Amino acid sequence: MNVLVTGAAGYIGSHTCRLLVQSGCRVIGYDNLSQGHCAAFERATNGGRLVVGDLADTDLLQRTLTAEAVEAVVHFAALALVGESIEYPQRYHQNNVEGSASLIQALHHCGIKRLVVSSTTAIYGAPEIIPISEETPPAPINPYGQSKWDVECLLQEACQRDGLGFAALRYFNAAGAASDGLLGEDHSPETHLIPIVLQVALGQRDRIQIFGDDYPTPDGTCVRDYVHVNDLADAHLKALNLLQPGQKIQVNLGSGTGTSVLEIVEHARRVTGHEIPCAVASRRPGDPPCLIADNALARSMLKWKPQHSSLDSILTSAWRWHQRHPQGYPSSE
Ligand code: UFG
């Protein structure tokens, strides 16, 4: 199958490209390289074809889809930081919502009816009932979550109007790295908890700031559901194989287990053997106290089962990546 992957040079995109190639797909990457790394895509696909372009460029998308005889699309390209979205909401609408609208238009033009899309638990806001099932009404509390819910609404419309089949995969907290240390997380600036904790262990930062210890959670720090990036990649492959034109899939992808910020720090101390000093700071705007997935639907519908999402597997693989790539991907590669 010929599959176009937007955001193919990014964190989850590159891990998914690697699995798609391993499963026999021909992958064509599409990325504007604003966040992604050429090296990530090259390593994932052994030098596959990468089109450098923007989602807003509907014409380039259409030409690429046609020239490469694309049969299905996996769409990762998006801005995905809660804090940044509060500062620059318009940027999130433009990039995520208008960018996806451009892609949907290109798919319609080319008659492509299968699209797997990154969505997020941030669409649920701060729900009271935990674990979070897909029945939870969307109620985003930050512009990032809102932008992703807006994208799902566009997809629902295109499904009804044009028979587009789509799978919106609602990730909880993506984490971990490839087991061989070749691919991993490299954001600039880095804002995610696990990479920052490991940068402290590497001596690149003095300490980790814990954003709030007065949340209504067992130890007062925020609880998240960390899911290994390779488990997410596997879900994309399964969704792609299952998806039919006109079908609508909206499904949570999380491990089903909650881990607090303090538990992450403590576990990282064991895995790295480093002290990892921390200091309590004020709450970060837009952070819900607790997000844990009910993943029953993914298990039954996609026949998906998280295989690598234990804290040990996540932190060991991420630590391997950070030790081998203390400065991230080489820019010359
Ligand atoms: N945190 C700290 N200190 C830090 C960084 C993070 O205490 O230096 C805390 C945050 O406050 C939060 C938790 O660690 O409670 C996790 O924060 P991340 O920034 O790693 O991840 P988020 O939960 O904010 O967001 C991530 C993705 C989003 C996605 C969301 C789903 O970035 O795209 O998970 O839960 F929507």
Side-chain angles (χ1 to χ4, degrees), residues 4 15 45 51 61 78 118 140 146 151-152 158 160 181 221 223 227 246 256 281 295:
L4 183 92
H15 285 78
T45 61
V51 176
L61 279 169
S118 310
Q146 184 65 52
V151 171
E152 287 202 30
Q160 282 181 346
T221 66
V223 169
V227 55
N295 61 19

Side-chain angles (χ1 to χ4, degrees), residues 80 120-121 144 173 191-193 209 211 222 224 284 287 291:
T120 172
T121 178
Y144 168 60
N173 286 55
T191 64
H192 293 100
L193 178 65
Q209 286 190 305
F211 295 142
C222 286
R224 292 288 180 274
R284 189 173 67 174
D287 271 345
L291 298 169

Side-chain angles (χ1 to χ4, degrees), residues 219-233:
D219 65 21
T221 66
C222 286
V223 169
R224 292 288 180 274
D225 179 330
Y226 294 90
V227 55
H228 196 286
V229 63
N230 278 342
D231 283 330
L232 293 180

Side-chain angles (χ1 to χ4, degrees), residues 210-223 260-262 283 289:
I210 296 181
F211 295 142
D213 66 350
D214 56 353
Y215 283 97
T217 59
D219 65 21
T221 66
C222 286
V223 169
S260 74
V261 175
L262 275 179
R283 291 183 178 195

Side-chain angles (χ1 to χ4, degrees), residues 46-114:
N46 287 323
R49 172 153 161 65
L50 178 67
V51 176
V52 179
D54 206 273
L55 279 182
D57 192 344
T58 318
D59 190 52
L60 178 61
L61 279 169
Q62 282 170 195
R63 280 188 279 124
T64 307
L65 293 169
T66 308
E68 302 292 343
V70 169
E71 297 161 83
V73 173
V74 185
H75 173 36
F76 294 98
L79 300 176
L81 298 178
V82 170
E84 184 187 59
S85 78
I86 292 169
E87 217 175 327
Y88 304 106
Q90 186 52 30
R91 207 182 274 180
Y92 272 68
H93 181 82
Q94 197 173 350
N95 195 82
N96 295 359
V97 186
E98 292 175 20
S100 298
S102 164
L103 176 64
I104 292 168
Q105 192 185 326
L107 294 179
H108 180 57
H109 179 87
C110 297
I112 297 167
K113 302 236 180 268
R114 291 199 294 158

